[in-house]
Amino acid sequence: NPERLSRGTTVSQAEPMLSMSTVSEDGCSSLASPWGLVEPYDFPDTGRGLRCVRAVAEGEELLAVPLEECWHEMAARRAPELAALADASLSETDAIALHLLLERAKGDGSERAAHLRSMPPVYDSTLFWSEAELAHLRGSDWLPPSRRL
């Protein structure tokens, strides 16, 4: 039985439309499903994402990703290298972050190497901004939530 995530979106154990092992060296070009419904695209205003390559019918499945291909807490806690931390009171976010770092440290030896190569090497968040950098947000809707971080 597929798990219902949200209206019109399902996760199932059926044949995957997208496998992280199909990510190309540039991190994008082979992400499109075998049925050609989506393709990677760099949107000018919002950045990397997926877009439909043709009109789709309401309810038509655009993309299916098996849960085992996703970064999630249970996969992180099953990683043998993290077994020593099983009793630690790690948050879900911390467990996933450690799993990601562990797999990244394995380099090409990781089963997720192609996916990791497609990820940005650095990540920026207002969480790490100085007061001077936050000052650039003055007058925008983004300053109050950024300060709360």
Side-chain angles (χ1 to χ4, degrees):
N1 287 338
E3 284 181 55
R4 177 83 36 208
L5 295 180
S6 64
R7 187 180 137 170
T9 306
T10 60
V11 172
S12 69
Q13 299 304 317
E15 183 66 24
M17 293 174 64
L18 169 67
S19 169
M20 291 304 140
S21 61
T22 63
V23 178
S24 65
E25 287 302 316
D26 68 4
C28 286
S29 63
S30 63
L31 278 173
S33 74
W35 296 280
L37 297 179
V38 295
E39 68 180 2
Y41 188 76
D42 285 326
F43 295 92
D45 295 334
T46 57
R48 183 185 291 189
L50 295 175
R51 70 174 178 180
C52 292
V53 296
R54 65 166 175 77
V56 295
E58 184 175 339
E60 187 172 2
E61 186 174 81
L62 303 178
L63 182 69
V65 180
L67 189 57
E68 62 268 8
E69 296 283 345
C70 299
W71 296 96
H72 60 89
E73 180 181 16
M74 293 313 297
R77 295 191 187 278
R78 282 194 307 263
E81 299 89 344
L82 299 178
L85 300 174
D87 294 333
S89 58
L90 291 175
S91 70
E92 176 182 356
T93 302
D94 289 344
I96 295 168
L98 284 171
H99 189 211
L100 193 144
L101 290 170
L102 170 69
E103 292 300 318
R104 182 168 273 180
K106 292 178 182 178
D108 288 337
S110 170
E111 291 180 6
R112 297 173 180 242
H115 182 226
L116 288 164
R117 279 192 302 273
S118 75
M119 297 172 75
V122 295
Y123 179 76
D124 188 24
S125 168
T126 57
L127 175 67
F128 307 111
W129 286 17
S130 68
E131 282 300 316
E133 292 168 312
L134 286 171
H136 293 286
L137 298 176
R138 212 171 275 129
S140 79
D141 292 338
W142 294 105
L143 184 58
S146 296
R147 286 198 188 277
R148 283 194 299 271
L149 295 174

